[in-house]
Amino acid sequence: MLGGGQLGRMLGLAGIPLGLEFRFLDPAAAAPAQSLGALVVGALDDERALLETVEHSTVVTYEWEGVPFAGARMLERSGHTVRPSTLALQTSQDRLAEKTAFREHGIPVAEFAAVDAWEDLRARVDEIGLPAVLKTRRGGYDGKGQAVLRDDRDLEPGFAALGDGGALILEALVPFDRELSVLAVRSGTGETRCWPLVENWHEAGILRVSRAPAPNLNPALQAAAEGYARAVLEHFQYVGVLALELFQVGDTLLANEMAPRVHNSGHWTIEGAVTSQFENHLRAILDWPLGATDARGVSAMVNLIGDLPDPAAVLAVPGAHLHDYGKSPRPGRKVGHVTVTADAQAELETRLTTLDAALARP
Amino acid sequence: MLGGGQLGRMLGLAGIPLGLEFRFLDPAAAAPAQSLGALVVGALDDERALLETVEHSTVVTYEWEGVPFAGARMLERSGHTVRPSTLALQTSQDRLAEKTAFREHGIPVAEFAAVDAWEDLRARVDEIGLPAVLKTRRGGYDGKGQAVLRDDRDLEPGFAALGDGGALILEALVPFDRELSVLAVRSGTGETRCWPLVENWHEAGILRVSRAPAPNLNPALQAAAEGYARAVLEHFQYVGVLALELFQVGDTLLANEMAPRVHNSGHWTIEGAVTSQFENHLRAILDWPLGATDARGVSAMVNLIGDLPDPAAVLAVPGAHLHDYGKSPRPGRKVGHVTVTADAQAELETRLTTLDAALARP
């Protein structure tokens, strides 16, 4: 496993009951996954560390899309099976390539255009209109590497803020109704499954709460999302779990970005679905049959950001399941999450209110 | 944790998401729990190993009722918190003390009497009648340490088979309708919860299949079982999960034995209940609030005995969840289990038939 963060930790927790053994590569000796297997401490682009990690492995996977493509490709070239495909990894690391791939498969996206230099920006803004978002093509997550352009005065500071000024993408800022995501999985045998759509609420660019299945879900939306996810899976001959982030605008969905891995908006599946994203990712990359992705009741996942609350306060909330990632506290850091399950939406909302009060406690 | 077998492994898997860290004591370096924490390799009665294991611990628990009482008591005397209470451990290690405690609390049991020597046996058989079961008071599990006495000719070989001939118990052999068990938990604050009754099917003295909630469950039976379990919990001022094995005879329940720990007949709770026995055991011994013990749909747990099947064959069964204990194969050894979940009993039975076929495959 390339990366040993919380996603690696939850993959480890799902895999040990299946009889799997893990070796993780992570730069941090205190990586959250370290209690679930062997840990190689090293940089994700260190060739020797990469090879040491994957020695004797059946399959190599990654838990972070920031894993350097070159390293993953090197492992593939040296005869290791890397899943999901390194092409998916590479594409997900370039917003322009990603959006282009979506468009080529008929997946609706907000208007976008490449901005390679300051001189391009004016013309692209004239094409796409304002408001728009200027983003770095590479890097950037949790809201970093982006500048919103609302009027012409924002162009110069926006461009300047994104650093060296090359390799940007301009995207129309769509006034969406809500943010959704669909988690999908494809096995080595080509079997695919999708979980119900998730509604995501971000704050300061960081995911705060996911509700699943997304409330007020229109079956046509679910069908559309599954169609888009399957198109992406087939395009990459993808093996493993994929997350596709979407904007809902009226009755249509626009694809925002993909993550070629298990995803924060899928953590609810541990308690809230018949089979979790973590277990199905492992089943997929091992060519095992996939498990059912049906929801069990309704769930909400609340990220714990910065530091952890008193476990006793969280566990006093009916239906609450605590996930501590074993990380030290730091402002803005995802250190854990709580999934609350219930039989019905009204009961879930009541429980979430109780959880909010518990989390607000000093 | 005293013991690092599959119960320790599943406690570890439940505890890591809660932010817990474990140190296990087990005689085997390849103990199933070793991938979930630090492992001290040593005998469970080795004072130095015991003290090394519990150093810096918040709480000490055990995953096997065969843990020598003297060792657990020594830890308690040296200032460590041992939960469940060592009195419960001690009592569970002596069938006569256990049955006597049940009877003192008004919990129905089959007729029983102490047999301290060959000379006693005749008189006890005359009191209790035949058929009866002669058992060692200590040791013996999975059907070992027992002799069924059907007529007078069985007395001598039965007595001889149980070893040195002292410290036996004679119990009336009750023609029961089915075997049930109730899992119950009590926290350090005195809060108690019970999971729905489980129906257990044994073969050659080893648990093969548990169904939960027990089919055709009479609410009065559930209430009676909970009353008995709570009486035992209160008697011992018990903290943690307790299993109480019962025989159903018509509309009544007879208590057979207790296990002062998480129990094989509670493994279904991982997927089949809101909170698993493993998580609630940990919550209880840490004085955290208990989680709900309601069933989610219907479940059946099938033990994997001897060796493991092909994981792909098991995972092809809808609703099947595989639990590999990481043990080497050996005839009669519990090496894993499969829990099958479904929304309704008929669907569950169909899935179990499919699982049976998968397990029977060569």
Side-chain angles (χ1 to χ4, degrees):
Chain A
M1 180 97 58
L2 311 184
Q6 65 263 29
L7 302 176
R9 180 178 170 105
M10 288 184 274
L11 284 161
L13 286 165
I16 288 174
L18 299 175
L20 307 182
E21 291 175 19
F22 294 88
R23 200 182 293 174
F24 301 95
L25 172 61
D26 200 276
Q34 53 88 20
S35 49
L36 283 314
L39 176 68
V40 176
V41 179
L44 290 163
D45 59 359
D46 175 338
E47 192 160 320
R48 214 168 53 89
L50 282 163
L51 288 169
E52 183 190 342
T53 305
V54 307
E55 210 186 345
H56 310 302
S57 68
T58 308
V59 63
V60 179
T61 190
Y62 45 92
E63 55 107 56
W64 186 44
E65 74 273 27
V67 165
F69 165 71
R73 190 80 191 93
M74 179 275 293
L75 293 177
E76 207 166 44
R77 287 222 168 102
S78 64
H80 294 279
T81 303
V82 179
R83 289 175 159 183
S85 82
T86 54
L87 179 60
L89 179 66
Q90 186 181 35
T91 305
S92 75
Q93 291 175 349
D94 181 338
R95 290 178 198 281
L96 184 65
E98 188 180 78
K99 283 264 168 37
T100 305
F102 292 163
R103 194 165 54 185
E104 278 170 4
H105 286 277
I107 301 170
V109 290
E111 274 196 87
F112 68 91
V115 175
D116 294 325
W118 166 245
E119 293 67 34
D120 290 352
L121 184 56
R122 183 73 257 170
R124 299 295 87 82
V125 165
D126 289 343
E127 282 165 35
I128 286 173
L130 291 181
V133 197
L134 191 63
K135 297 178 179 176
T136 54
R137 281 174 57 176
R138 296 171 175 283
Y141 65 99
D142 285 351
K144 297 180 187 79
Q146 310 197 359
V148 176
L149 312 182
R150 299 206 176 269
D151 63 41
D152 287 350
R153 286 167 302 181
D154 292 336
L155 268 58
E156 204 170 327
F159 188 85
L162 297 182
D164 63 2
L168 302 177
I169 180 173
L170 185 71
E171 300 175 5
L173 188 69
V174 180
F176 55 81
D177 302 324
R178 58 175 172 172
E179 296 175 85
L180 299 170
S181 59
V182 62
L183 278 291
V185 59
R186 184 175 178 276
S187 76
T189 61
E191 185 187 2
T192 64
R193 303 228 188 187
C194 296
W195 284 266
L197 274 163
V198 183
E199 179 183 305
N200 301 312
W201 178 61
H202 289 82
E203 195 181 58
I206 300 179
L207 179 64
R208 300 285 162 158
V209 179
S210 292
R211 282 180 170 77
N216 309 313
L217 193 54
N218 170 345
L221 276 191
Q222 178 72 28
E226 294 195 9
Y228 303 153
R230 290 204 162 92
V232 177
L233 293 175
E234 294 308 321
H235 171 70
F236 292 111
Q237 291 294 297
Y238 193 97
V239 179
V241 165
L242 170 97
L244 187 60
E245 294 186 31
L246 303 156
F247 295 130
Q248 181 178 352
V249 184
D251 287 335
T252 60
L253 295 174
L254 299 179
N256 180 35
E257 63 179 53
M258 66 184 231
R261 53 165 171 84
V262 289
H263 191 256
N264 197 169
S265 70
H267 292 358
W268 66 275
T269 59
I270 297 175
E271 295 89 6
V274 175
T275 313
S276 78
Q277 63 168 348
F278 302 102
E279 180 169 337
N280 259 347
H281 181 75
L282 298 170
R283 290 191 188 202
I285 66 175
L286 288 162
D287 288 338
W288 287 348
L290 300 178
T293 49
D294 309 79
R296 306 182 79 187
V298 291
S299 304
M301 190 266 346
V302 178
N303 271 333
L304 300 173
I305 296 171
D307 54 10
L308 282 171
D310 173 14
V314 170
L315 297 173
V317 179
H321 299 272
L322 175 64
H323 297 263
D324 174 342
Y325 301 155
K327 288 167 145 183
S328 48
R330 186 195 301 161
R333 192 179 210 194
K334 291 176 183 168
V335 293
H337 76 265
V338 181
T339 295
V340 181
T341 56
D343 290 330
Q345 200 69 36
E347 184 182 43
L348 179 64
E349 299 303 328
T350 306
R351 291 175 175 189
L352 280 174
T353 305
T354 314
L355 177 64
D356 278 348
L359 296 180
R361 220 172 286 164
Chain B
M1 180 99 57
L2 310 184
Q6 64 264 27
L7 300 177
R9 181 178 170 103
M10 289 184 274
L11 283 163
L13 286 165
I16 288 176
L18 298 176
L20 307 183
E21 291 175 19
F22 295 88
R23 201 182 292 174
F24 300 95
L25 173 62
D26 200 275
Q34 52 89 19
S35 49
L36 282 314
L39 177 68
V40 175
V41 179
L44 290 163
D45 59 359
D46 175 336
E47 191 160 322
R48 213 167 53 89
L50 282 163
L51 288 169
E52 183 190 342
T53 304
V54 307
E55 208 185 348
H56 309 302
S57 66
T58 308
V59 62
V60 179
T61 188
Y62 45 91
E63 56 107 58
W64 186 44
E65 73 273 27
V67 164
F69 165 71
R73 191 76 191 96
M74 178 274 293
L75 293 178
E76 209 166 45
R77 287 223 169 102
S78 64
H80 294 277
T81 303
V82 179
R83 291 175 157 181
S85 81
T86 54
L87 178 61
L89 178 67
Q90 185 181 36
T91 305
S92 75
Q93 291 175 349
D94 181 338
R95 291 178 198 281
L96 185 65
E98 188 179 77
K99 282 265 170 34
T100 305
F102 292 162
R103 194 165 53 185
E104 279 169 4
H105 286 277
I107 302 169
V109 290
E111 274 197 86
F112 68 91
V115 175
D116 295 325
W118 166 246
E119 294 67 34
D120 291 350
L121 184 56
R122 184 72 257 170
R124 299 293 89 78
V125 165
D126 289 342
E127 281 164 34
I128 286 173
L130 291 182
V133 199
L134 191 63
K135 298 178 179 176
T136 54
R137 280 174 57 176
R138 296 172 175 281
Y141 65 100
D142 285 351
K144 297 179 187 78
Q146 309 198 357
V148 175
L149 313 181
R150 298 202 177 274
D151 63 40
D152 287 350
R153 287 167 302 179
D154 293 336
L155 268 58
E156 203 169 331
F159 189 85
L162 297 182
D164 63 3
L168 302 178
I169 180 173
L170 185 71
E171 300 175 3
L173 188 68
V174 180
F176 55 82
D177 302 323
R178 57 174 172 173
E179 296 175 85
L180 299 170
S181 59
V182 62
L183 278 291
V185 58
R186 184 176 178 277
S187 76
T189 60
E191 185 187 2
T192 64
R193 303 227 189 189
C194 296
W195 284 266
L197 274 163
V198 182
E199 180 182 305
N200 301 312
W201 177 61
H202 290 81
E203 195 180 59
I206 300 180
L207 180 63
R208 299 285 162 159
V209 180
S210 292
R211 282 178 172 78
N216 309 314
L217 192 55
N218 170 343
L221 277 189
Q222 177 72 29
E226 294 194 9
Y228 303 154
R230 289 204 163 92
V232 177
L233 292 175
E234 295 307 322
H235 171 70
F236 292 110
Q237 290 294 296
Y238 194 96
V239 179
V241 165
L242 169 98
L244 185 61
E245 295 186 32
L246 303 156
F247 296 130
Q248 182 179 351
V249 184
D251 288 335
T252 59
L253 296 174
L254 299 179
N256 181 34
E257 63 179 52
M258 66 182 231
R261 54 165 169 84
V262 290
H263 190 257
N264 197 167
S265 71
H267 293 357
W268 66 274
T269 59
I270 297 175
E271 294 89 4
V274 175
T275 313
S276 78
Q277 63 168 345
F278 302 102
E279 180 170 337
N280 259 347
H281 182 73
L282 298 171
R283 290 189 187 202
I285 65 174
L286 287 161
D287 287 337
W288 287 347
L290 300 179
T293 49
D294 308 80
R296 306 181 77 188
V298 291
S299 304
M301 190 269 342
V302 178
N303 270 335
L304 301 173
I305 295 169
D307 53 10
L308 281 171
D310 173 15
V314 170
L315 296 174
V317 178
H321 299 271
L322 175 64
H323 297 262
D324 174 344
Y325 301 156
K327 288 167 146 184
S328 49
R330 186 195 300 161
R333 192 179 209 194
K334 291 176 184 169
V335 293
H337 76 265
V338 180
T339 294
V340 181
T341 56
D343 290 331
Q345 200 68 36
E347 184 183 42
L348 180 65
E349 298 304 327
T350 306
R351 291 177 174 187
L352 280 174
T353 305
T354 314
L355 177 65
D356 277 349
L359 296 180
R361 221 172 286 166

